[in-house]
């Protein structure tokens, strides 16, 4: 390369005949590097005069240009005359900027990683503190319970036996199951409140016989007692360990009033709705209709009313009204602020965050919200649009009870889903916006009651107890204010 450039200089300097008398020498310099030397005699001058200023400046300019050309060809110094940068300089600048940006991003990521590590350490410390606090509370002696005065009940010889005298009807509520779904050595969760502060309704209860089917009376009253469970069928496989079964109190064509419906709630693809002509066909296990629902079902909180199935869409707070006649979704709406998929379930778990119910007063939703801090919220729904018409917030936590049902606009909660002999322990009246503790005996015959609903068509409790489809006869009474 140096030889080529030197030849260029040589060509610029040669004039006339002097070109033919030029000579070239090649030898190593003191450092061992090869060096070329050209000798060109002047064509007109016998001696070399001293070079003038303009000549020196011109020579310097030519040498500078040669140096720039050499730098551009070799990829070295790329600064052009006039301060402009060549392609090599621009590429080097871009590479440097990219490197600086990568270093900056690396430093940011390193800082973010350190911040997340600090947050994880803080959460771990908080979890440990909560675990210690839980152990402390678990080992703390239980506060004395306020005696519960059950309502007077005539014909006690006809109803179930009450807890023995002197025993605490709440004593079985003071522990929790070891884990959700564990059916061995199950114990129920305690109420997460101190001394009960519920307002007692001052009332006198008298028994009322069930009205005739042609009577215009709605048959409303307070719950006096729940009789022994009657078993109708046992599920055939594991999919029927949990489930929900229903009957429409206001059936719509093409299905008659005796039609019974069932959903098995085990699995991640719960969408089959089985229909039976009557209770006899249900007990035999012969469905006459199987519908495939367009949206997956969450848990055991579905309900039937006026020809529509109402249920919660899986992994959401969305409520769906499915029209049985057209086999299409007639309405859908989110239940405002409702917890879902394990945020506020019943004590047995099963993603029972939203429980729909039907009684003499219409369609209801039982759930909780973050604002309510886990306490049960009751909302009356428009059965056509699913809009919330009115809501009530109670004083009892949803995860402290096993299940609930609505009768005559009153909410009743069941203390245990597993204890063979438990109680209905709380009642909330939406007409007076008052709640109170009660102690109505209730039996879990098969040890894992995952669904309890009042069925207005038969005026019984329908339940699903550990693979078994069962029902309970009820005794209601009129409430007469003093």
């Amino acid at each position: 390369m140096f030889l080529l450039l030197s030849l260029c200089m040589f060509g610029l300097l040669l004039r006339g005949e002097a070109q033919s008398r030029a000579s070239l020498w090649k030898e190593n310099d003191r450092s061992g590097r090869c060096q070329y030397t050209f000798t060109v005699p002047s064509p007109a001058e016998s001696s070399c005069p001293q070079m003038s200023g303009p000549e020196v400046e011109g020579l310097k300019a030519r040498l500078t240009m040669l140096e720039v050309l050499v730098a551009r060809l070799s990829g070295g110094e790329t600064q052009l005359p006039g301060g402009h940068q060549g392609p090599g300089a621009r590429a080097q600048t871009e590479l440097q900027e990219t490197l600086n940006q990568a270093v900056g991003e690396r430093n940011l990521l390193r800082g973010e990683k350190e911040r997340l590590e600090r947050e994880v350490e803080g959460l771990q410390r908080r979890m440990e503190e909560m675990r210690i606090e839980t152990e402390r509370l678990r080992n703390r002696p239980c506060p004395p319970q306020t005696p519960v005065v059950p309502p007077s009940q005539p014909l006690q010889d006809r109803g179930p036996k009450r807890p023995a005298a002197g025993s605490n009807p709440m004593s079985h509520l003071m522990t929790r199951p070891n884990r959700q779904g564990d059916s061995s050595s199950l114990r129920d969760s305690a109420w997460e409140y101190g001394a009960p502060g519920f307002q007692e309704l001052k009332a006198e209860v008298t028994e009322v016989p069930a009205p005739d089917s042609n009577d215009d009376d709605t048959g409303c009253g307070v719950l006096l007692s729940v009789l022994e469970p009657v078993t109708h069928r046992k599920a055939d496989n594991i999919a029927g360990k949990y489930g929900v079964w229903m009957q429409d109190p206001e059936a719509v064509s093409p299905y008659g009033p005796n039609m019974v419906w069932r959903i098995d709630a085990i699995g991640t693809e719960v969408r089959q709705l089985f229909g039976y002509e009557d209770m006899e066909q249900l007990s035999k296990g012969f469905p006459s209709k199987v519908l495939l629902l367009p949206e997956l079902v969450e848990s055991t909180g579905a309900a039937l009313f006026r020809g529509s199935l109402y249920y919660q869409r899986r992994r959401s707070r969305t409520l769906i009204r499915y029209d049985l006649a057209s086999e299409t979704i007639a309405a859908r709406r989110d239940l405002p602020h409702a917890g879902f998929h394990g945020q506020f379930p019943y004590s047995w778990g099963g993603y029972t965050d939203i429980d729909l119910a039907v009684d003499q007063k219409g369609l209801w939703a039982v759930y909780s919200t973050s604002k309510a801090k886990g306490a049960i919220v009751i909302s009356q729904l428009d059965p056509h649009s699913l809009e919330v018409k009115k809501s009530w917030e109670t004083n009892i936590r949803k995860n402290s009870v096993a299940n609930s049902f609505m009768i005559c606009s009153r909410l009743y909660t069941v203390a245990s889903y597993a204890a063979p002999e438990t109680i209905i322990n709380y009642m909330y009246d939406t007409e007076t916006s008052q709640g109170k503790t009660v102690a109505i005996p209730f039996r879990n015959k098969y040890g894992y009651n995952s669904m309890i609903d009042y069925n207005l068509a038969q005026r019984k409790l329908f339940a699903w107890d550990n693979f078994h489809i069962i029902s309970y006869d009820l005794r209601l009474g009129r409430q007469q204010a003093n």
Side-chain angles (χ1 to χ4, degrees), residues 76-79 83-101:
E77 181 64 38
T78 57
Q79 185 73 24
H84 300 288
Q85 289 186 333
R90 287 194 296 271
Q92 184 177 4
T93 302
E94 292 174 358
L95 287 175
Q96 186 63 41
E97 291 176 354
T98 303
L99 177 61
N100 294 339
Q101 182 179 0

Side-chain angles (χ1 to χ4, degrees), residues 115-357:
R115 184 185 67 81
L116 291 174
E117 288 175 349
R118 289 193 298 270
E119 290 184 0
V120 169
E121 292 176 359
L123 289 174
Q124 290 175 343
R125 288 195 300 270
R126 179 59 179 160
M127 289 175 62
E128 181 64 19
E129 293 172 358
M130 293 176 66
R131 186 189 66 79
I132 295 173
E133 180 67 12
T134 300
E135 291 295 329
R136 186 185 67 81
L137 293 174
R138 184 177 296 173
N139 296 328
R140 187 176 64 179
C142 297
Q145 298 290 323
T146 303
V148 177
V149 181
S152 59
Q153 174 179 329
L155 303 178
Q156 291 185 0
D157 55 330
R158 292 173 53 187
K161 294 182 180 179
R162 296 191 178 279
S167 65
N168 185 354
M170 301 292 183
S171 59
H172 69 287
L173 293 174
M174 307 318 294
T175 54
R176 278 186 80 86
N178 293 329
R179 66 178 186 275
Q180 179 175 316
D182 188 358
S183 59
S184 61
S185 303
L186 287 169
R187 298 173 297 177
D188 296 296
S189 60
W191 285 14
E192 299 182 24
Y193 295 93
F198 311 119
Q199 298 182 12
E200 296 283 347
L201 288 176
K202 303 299 182 180
E204 179 181 347
V205 178
T206 57
E207 186 176 354
V208 177
D212 184 77
S213 59
N214 296 323
D215 197 336
D216 291 336
D217 186 5
T218 61
C220 270
V222 295
L223 180 63
L224 296 180
S225 62
V226 180
L227 304 185
E228 287 294 306
V230 176
T231 304
H232 301 283
R233 178 169 176 78
K234 182 178 180 181
D236 299 321
N237 52 54
I238 187 62
K241 179 175 176 62
Y242 314 139
V244 54
W245 69 293
M246 306 154 284
Q247 193 172 18
D248 194 341
E250 299 182 22
V252 176
S253 178
Y255 303 107
N258 296 325
M259 194 79 175
V260 181
W261 301 86
R262 181 194 105 231
I263 299 175
D264 295 336
I266 288 287
T268 58
E269 296 288 328
V270 179
R271 63 168 74 238
Q272 286 185 316
L273 176 64
F274 299 90
Y276 301 85
E277 291 291 343
D278 51 34
M279 292 294 295
E280 182 180 359
Q281 297 303 310
L282 171 69
S283 63
K284 293 179 180 179
F286 298 147
S288 60
K289 186 73 174 180
V290 180
L291 298 177
L292 193 65
L293 300 174
E295 297 282 2
L296 297 179
V297 180
E298 184 87 304
S299 198
T300 61
L304 268 175
F305 190 49
R306 296 177 182 172
S308 292
L309 172 72
Y310 298 86
Y311 68 95
Q312 175 193 355
R313 181 176 176 271
R314 179 172 170 79
R315 291 181 178 271
S316 75
R317 60 172 59 92
T318 304
L319 302 182
I320 291 176
R321 179 168 77 88
Y322 177 79
D323 183 71
L324 297 177
S326 64
E327 299 182 12
T328 59
I329 293 178
R332 68 167 70 214
R333 186 179 297 272
D334 282 359
L335 185 58
H337 312 296
F340 63 94
H341 205 65
Q343 290 180 288
F344 305 110
Y346 291 124
S347 61
W348 75 269
Y351 303 126
T352 50
D353 301 76
I354 299 176
D355 192 7
L356 301 175

Side-chain angles (χ1 to χ4, degrees), residues 432-454:
T432 62
S433 300
Q434 292 180 320
K436 70 173 184 177
T437 57
V438 294
I440 302 173
F442 185 89
R443 186 179 179 203
N444 294 310
K445 185 175 182 179
Y446 298 102
Y448 210 100
N449 217 327
S450 59
M451 166 254 172
I452 304 173
D453 278 328
Y454 177 66

Side-chain angles (χ1 to χ4, degrees), residues 42 44-48:
S42 172
E45 299 171 338
S46 57
S47 63
C48 295

